[in-house]
Amino acid sequence: MSLTCGTKLGPYEIIAPLGAGGMGEVYRARDPQLGRDVAIKVLPAFLSRDPDRLRRFEQEARAAAALNHPNILAVYQMGTYEGAPYLVSELLEGSTLRDQLLRGLLPVRKAVDYAIQIAHGLAAAHEKGIVHRDLKPENLFLTKDGRIKILDFGLAKLIHGPEASESSSPTLTEGTEPGVTLGTVGYMSPEQVRGKVADNRADLFAFGAILYEMLTGKRAFHKPTSAETMSAILNEDPSAISQLTPGISPALQKVVQRCLEKNPEQRFHSASDLAFALEALSDTGSAPSGAFTVAKSRTSSAWVIAAAGLVIALAVGLGIWLTRPPAVPSVESVVQVTNDGILKSGGLETDGSRIYFNEGPSGSFSIAQVSVHGGQTGAVTTNLVSPQVAGLTADGSSLLVLTGAPLPTHVTMWSLPLPVGEPRRLGDADGIGASLFPDGRILYALNSTGYIAERDGSNPRKLEEATEFATEHGLLLDAMPNVSADGKQVALGAFDSSTHSKVILQAASDGTGDHPILRGAQGNSPTNICCPRWTHDGKYLLFRAETERRWDIWAFSIEKRLLEKSLPPVRLTNGPVSYSSFAASPDGKQIFAVGAQRRGELVRYDSRTREFVPFLGGISAYDPTFSRDGKWVDYLSYPEHTLWRSRADGSDRLQLTYPPMAVILPRISPDGSRVAFSSWGGASYLVGMEGGTPKKVADTLTSSWSPDGSLVALDSYDASSGARHPLGILDVRTGNISTVPDSQDMNGPWFAGQDTLIATTNDSTKFVIFDIKARKRSDLIANPNGFLNWIMSPDGKYFFYQTGGNDPKIFRMRLADRAVEEVASLKGFRAVDDPYQGNTQLNVAPDNSALLTRDIGTEEVYAISVKWP
């Protein structure tokens, strides 16, 4: 709504527009009753029909009107004009703090004076239970007489603090819920970046960023993109004030640093305390110097005093050493290197000049490369099918790559020359996961055994001690071995079947001296640790661990010096980006990693238009499953993996599971009364469609229901031991589990009839059909590039499956005559690479159309600069 001069809003007459302010337009108006000019903010009528916008505008009015302080904009009245609400406030003459900062650096005296006024204004608001939550230079106004006014409480949230009483505090019936990010990037607190509830300490963080900017002329957190800025707020400290503006007192610098603490508990307790600290700094008197005198000794035993002084000095020094915080590595900056918008997963390696990494979904990998300084991404061409980057030779002349089926139990190893050349098979043995020694020898794992082979893959020899140690302690070696840059140490990931936890092992390069150095969820170790990588100097072992449904990069000190305290692992990154594959640069200054901000869009393939279109409103959901009548759907929130139930139109939503449980493979029973699912870790559960406590029914993964709903097919993976067993069938009436004969090498079973199962071989290259009554199996269909996903249609008439390779497609087989038809090509389709299940989701809607979750998040390579002690 644009108002012209002379327009009347109640008793007020518009004089002139003043421009935009927060969510509305601001005008200068005349109050004829009191003979003064006022400011009127008007919310446009079309926006006032937005309930959330209107609520926030009314919230601003109530919050601001409840405050009466010289450093807060005075609000007089609220009204409506032609359906549009407006707010009447005092008219200010001057400019915003942002305008002042654009003119140049402020004198320190003025900066501290403005800071004290802001702190007093915040203290008044906080005492009323009001948090601003969008404090920034644009919302701070400097009047002509030098007074600071805090503007725009449109993002304020009422809290009930200890000073807020029912009589003095206004009440807002609707506050912003946790999980919604509000504020301005660059001035948001870490808790706001994470979408958590923000209290008065969030304002103190923004205050610190503003004071930093007033003292240095530079923004505390300012990166090329919003994602990088948010990452800096979570992980980085701004440059020291003394480096940018020499002469600032250490005490003032400490005030800023305390405001900018990542942990709210470490900031000032209140804005009042902050104002007091600033006023103490602005006092014209000087603080006591702390100098003291000591009376001279009149004894002739000077040497005794000297000795005593030495002992005291040593004791003090030891006390300081014991109480000082240990030096730990910290992230200095995070910079986005790529910007091609292509899905990235698999491996990553660097020679310090270029970064080599995988792009594309699992089962259809390609290899790309980019300069460490960013720029255009290029392809590393090869005719290998879905090659995965595993290593880089010391001279940078070739890559070690692995190829295999989408869900392999083993892979073949190849040398791929750089920048171009024909790949060469390395040895005859297969493996699962590999790494290179500096001299080109290969470390690889297979069947929970470690091996070292020559450069060409020949003469593999077993790491006897490491393998025996793992076997003796119930540890299963995984696919992520890594060799240190000097070739003297190896790190191996493993799974402890007795505790169901991940373990990282350290050993000499010949496998001797093997011992666990980290166990997931023990002591100070995080949970679900994975993928060890050495720093170039071998002093730290990097790994990733799960935190709040994302992956962060951690560092663990290997070195032990005299009197050095044993240090727990240190988390280097702290969201919002979730990091997967990573590698340290040879100069030790950076870690290059694939980082993702995950969001999915549920889509359906429309065979008429041959396009994928949003399904269920395009919600960020994964792995939906439908009741037989098509009226109900269960799905997983993505990427959190909590289980939800709703009607097919999205209404009547109900959450069925809660963190920390992460759910995979949900399946609604044929009668629609309950759902079977698995937890991340392998156990199977049943829960009613109306909610309740999930009941554990097996230690293996669920797969599918029989048509009559009495049986559930179970996968062959046993979470309690980590081993593969024959496929199982759970009788939900009795709880008994029977095995499917001749199914030791199978996984992913689906009921194709009451007595018929379809499953794939463990290398995912062949489907087999089982006749349970006849106790027979026969081959169904094969594909050398492997099958990535498979599922039965809700009506039981079709078996859908997705192929891997360079040209992935969806097919369906009509079970009545086994006729196969192509459903859709997935070439170029960006499927989510799920942190729990990988790219293992294909679903079918009640109308037999294919469903997938499309990746609409961001996934790029980042350069993480680290300061090491």
Side-chain angles (χ1 to χ4, degrees):
M1 174 184 294
S2 295
L3 302 181
T4 58
C5 295
T7 302
K8 288 288 189 72
L9 277 74
Y12 307 102
E13 181 178 338
I14 299 298
I15 299 175
L18 296 177
M23 293 180 294
E25 295 292 328
V26 182
Y27 298 87
R28 186 186 191 111
R30 185 69 178 173
D31 182 351
Q33 295 177 349
L34 298 177
R36 65 181 177 184
D37 287 352
V38 296
I40 294 181
K41 179 188 288 188
V42 182
L43 187 67
F46 76 92
L47 290 179
S48 69
R49 291 189 290 269
D50 182 337
D52 182 62
R53 281 290 189 112
L54 184 58
R55 175 183 62 80
R56 288 169 61 189
F57 186 84
E58 292 173 345
Q59 179 173 303
E60 175 181 350
R62 294 193 184 97
L67 302 173
N68 181 18
H69 191 274
N71 296 120
I72 298 176
L73 179 73
V75 175
Y76 302 140
Q77 183 182 347
M78 180 179 176
T80 58
Y81 174 76
E82 294 183 356
Y86 64 86
L87 197 69
V88 183
S89 66
E90 65 177 312
L91 181 67
L92 301 178
E93 301 287 347
S95 61
T96 66
L97 181 59
R98 171 64 68 209
D99 295 332
Q100 293 288 320
L101 291 172
L102 291 175
R103 295 169 190 162
L105 190 65
L106 297 176
V108 175
R109 178 184 57 80
K110 279 192 174 182
V112 174
D113 176 45
Y114 296 161
I116 291 172
Q117 294 188 56
I118 298 167
H120 280 304
L122 288 176
H126 294 170
E127 286 170 4
K128 290 286 189 178
I130 296 170
V131 182
H132 192 288
R133 296 201 305 163
D134 194 26
L135 201 65
K136 56 187 175 182
E138 288 82 356
N139 281 339
L140 297 168
F141 198 92
L142 180 62
T143 65
K144 288 184 176 180
D145 62 356
R147 187 179 298 278
I148 285 282
K149 294 277 189 176
I150 303 175
L151 313 178
D152 196 355
F153 276 85
L155 293 177
K157 178 183 179 181
L158 186 72
I159 60 172
H160 296 287
E163 295 96 354
S165 66
E166 292 183 5
S167 60
S168 64
S169 300
T171 300
L172 301 181
T173 56
E174 293 181 85
T176 303
E177 295 298 328
V180 179
T181 301
L182 289 179
T184 300
V185 176
Y187 301 94
M188 296 164 64
S189 65
E191 55 268 31
Q192 285 175 290
V193 170
R194 296 192 181 98
K196 294 184 176 180
V197 175
D199 59 18
N200 61 299
R201 295 169 295 183
D203 284 350
L204 301 187
F205 187 92
F207 174 95
I210 294 167
L211 181 52
Y212 180 97
E213 193 169 344
M214 287 196 289
L215 294 172
T216 66
K218 305 288 185 182
R219 298 194 186 190
F221 305 100
H222 185 61
K223 301 290 184 180
T225 66
S226 296
E228 290 175 271
T229 301
M230 289 191 287
S231 179
I233 289 172
L234 294 175
N235 299 298
E236 302 175 23
D237 292 324
S239 300
I241 293 176
S242 58
Q243 294 178 355
L244 302 174
T245 311
I248 302 293
S249 71
L252 181 54
Q253 294 183 54
K254 288 181 179 178
V255 169
V256 178
Q257 291 168 1
R258 187 170 176 186
C259 290
L260 293 177
E261 289 289 347
K262 309 298 186 188
N263 184 352
E265 299 291 338
Q266 296 176 352
R267 298 174 204 151
F268 284 95
H269 177 69
S270 68
S272 297
D273 291 347
L274 172 58
F276 180 83
L278 289 168
E279 286 173 334
L281 290 174
S282 67
D283 193 346
T284 56
S286 60
S289 64
F292 60 93
T293 60
V294 179
K296 294 182 179 180
S297 172
R298 297 181 182 273
T299 178
S300 59
S301 303
W303 67 271
V304 176
I305 298 174
L310 179 61
V311 171
I312 293 172
L314 290 172
V316 170
L318 182 60
I320 292 173
W321 180 87
L322 289 172
T323 57
R324 69 177 174 87
V328 295
S330 62
V331 170
E332 293 186 307
S333 66
V334 180
V335 177
Q336 185 174 321
V337 177
T338 62
N339 192 32
D340 59 9
I342 300 176
L343 181 70
K344 295 170 180 62
S345 54
L348 182 148
E349 297 290 336
T350 182
D351 59 5
S353 174
R354 306 200 70 77
I355 309 166
Y356 301 91
F357 53 94
N358 281 122
E359 290 193 324
S362 299
S364 300
F365 286 146
S366 62
I367 300 177
Q369 52 87 20
V370 70
S371 166
V372 295
H373 305 296
Q376 185 174 354
T377 300
V380 177
T381 58
T382 177
N383 58 2
L384 293 174
V385 176
S386 193
Q388 181 172 344
V389 174
L392 180 65
T393 56
D395 61 4
S397 63
S398 62
L399 287 170
L400 171 65
V401 298
L402 312 175
T403 65
L407 301 173
T409 54
H410 62 274
V411 293
T412 55
M413 297 177 288
W414 298 75
S415 175
L416 181 63
L418 294 173
V420 293
E422 290 298 316
R424 178 168 60 92
R425 173 76 186 269
L426 298 176
D428 299 324
D430 294 332
I432 178 164
S435 180
L436 288 175
F437 284 87
D439 61 7
R441 289 178 300 146
I442 307 168
L443 170 69
Y444 66 96
L446 177 65
N447 298 330
S448 197
T449 302
Y451 294 89
I452 296 178
E454 300 301 323
R455 297 178 57 172
D456 60 359
S458 63
N459 302 321
R461 63 179 182 82
K462 186 184 296 186
L463 294 175
E464 296 286 355
E465 286 193 28
T467 301
E468 289 175 5
F469 177 90
T471 302
E472 180 182 346
H473 292 82
L475 303 178
L476 305 171
L477 300 183
D478 65 18
M480 299 293 179
N482 191 247
V483 182
S484 62
D486 61 6
K488 296 180 179 179
Q489 303 178 88
V490 299
L492 301 160
F495 177 76
D496 188 334
S497 58
S498 62
T499 62
H500 293 191
S501 61
K502 295 292 186 69
V503 181
I504 293 179
L505 306 174
Q506 177 189 4
S509 58
D510 59 0
T512 60
D514 201 33
H515 64 283
I517 57 174
L518 280 176
R519 287 183 178 271
Q522 281 197 7
N524 292 309
S525 296
T527 59
N528 204 11
I529 59 179
C530 172
C531 318
R533 298 290 305 255
W534 294 97
T535 56
H536 199 72
D537 58 9
K539 295 180 180 179
Y540 285 86
L541 197 61
L542 305 174
F543 63 96
R544 72 178 193 185
E546 186 186 9
T547 309
E548 297 178 351
R549 298 292 193 264
R550 70 167 187 274
W551 293 100
D552 281 314
I553 299 175
W554 293 63
F556 181 72
S557 177
I558 299 298
E559 278 198 328
K560 295 293 183 290
R561 301 185 182 93
L562 180 64
L563 293 181
E564 186 179 64
K565 289 178 261 187
S566 179
L567 298 179
V570 176
R571 181 163 59 184
L572 296 178
T573 65
N574 198 16
V577 173
S578 178
Y579 293 99
S580 52
S581 49
F582 58 92
S585 63
D587 64 8
K589 296 180 180 180
Q590 293 177 304
I591 299 171
F592 298 104
V594 172
Q597 290 184 295
R598 300 188 181 278
R599 178 163 176 80
E601 178 187 41
L602 190 60
V603 293
R604 178 183 69 86
Y605 184 73
D606 188 326
S607 58
R608 183 180 57 83
T609 63
R610 297 186 179 182
E611 293 180 344
F612 284 95
V613 296
F615 185 75
L616 289 181
I619 60 174
S620 188
Y622 190 82
D623 213 356
T625 174
F626 299 87
S627 61
R628 182 173 289 176
D629 59 12
K631 294 181 179 180
W632 294 93
V633 58
D634 279 24
Y635 58 86
L636 306 178
S637 61
Y638 179 81
E640 298 83 8
H641 273 248
T642 54
L643 179 63
W644 290 78
R645 176 222 73 190
S646 76
R647 294 188 183 274
D649 61 3
S651 63
D652 201 7
R653 295 174 72 239
L654 178 66
Q655 187 171 350
L656 299 179
T657 65
Y658 296 86
M661 177 181 282
V663 174
I664 59 175
L665 306 173
R667 308 290 179 235
I668 292 181
S669 62
D671 64 2
S673 66
R674 50 188 168 175
V675 57
F677 66 88
S678 298
S679 64
W680 177 247
S684 295
Y685 296 83
L686 292 176
V687 68
M689 288 284 280
E690 298 303 319
T693 303
K695 177 184 177 183
K696 183 178 177 181
V697 293
D699 286 323
T700 55
L701 299 174
T702 57
S703 185
S704 67
W705 291 85
S706 63
D708 70 354
S710 65
L711 308 174
V712 172
L714 301 174
D715 205 349
S716 56
Y717 178 74
D718 187 334
S720 63
S721 66
R724 287 280 183 183
H725 296 305
L727 301 178
I729 296 179
L730 167 70
D731 189 325
V732 296
R733 298 163 299 188
T734 64
N736 294 330
I737 298 176
S738 58
T739 59
V740 178
D742 198 19
S743 63
Q744 181 74 36
D745 60 336
M746 310 300 295
N747 66 70
W750 275 91
F751 275 102
Q754 189 63 31
D755 301 308
T756 309
L757 281 178
I758 296 177
T760 182
T761 52
N762 280 335
D763 63 3
S764 304
T765 60
K766 183 190 297 183
F767 283 118
V768 172
I769 189 165
F770 289 87
D771 186 326
I772 300 173
K773 278 191 173 181
R775 303 173 68 86
K776 293 182 179 178
R777 58 180 270 183
S778 57
D779 293 345
L780 187 62
I781 192 170
N783 187 312
N785 291 331
F787 300 103
L788 198 62
N789 309 304
W790 51 95
I791 192 173
M792 291 293 302
S793 63
D795 60 13
K797 295 180 180 179
Y798 293 94
F799 181 65
F800 283 70
Y801 57 88
Q802 175 188 340
T803 56
N806 297 330
D807 187 17
K809 296 178 179 180
I810 297 175
F811 295 88
R812 71 176 186 179
M813 174 188 291
R814 188 168 55 232
L815 293 179
D817 57 7
R818 299 191 181 181
V820 174
E821 62 177 319
E822 181 180 328
V823 175
S825 172
L826 294 180
K827 196 164 188 176
F829 181 84
R830 183 171 168 170
V832 297
D833 190 40
D834 182 62
Y836 293 98
Q837 294 174 246
N839 185 22
T840 57
Q841 176 246 348
L842 170 65
N843 299 90
V844 183
D847 64 356
N848 280 339
S849 58
L851 298 175
L852 291 171
T853 302
R854 179 161 51 198
D855 187 356
I856 58 173
T858 61
E859 197 160 33
E860 302 293 349
V861 176
Y862 291 84
I864 305 169
S865 296
V866 181
K867 181 180 180 181
W868 302 98

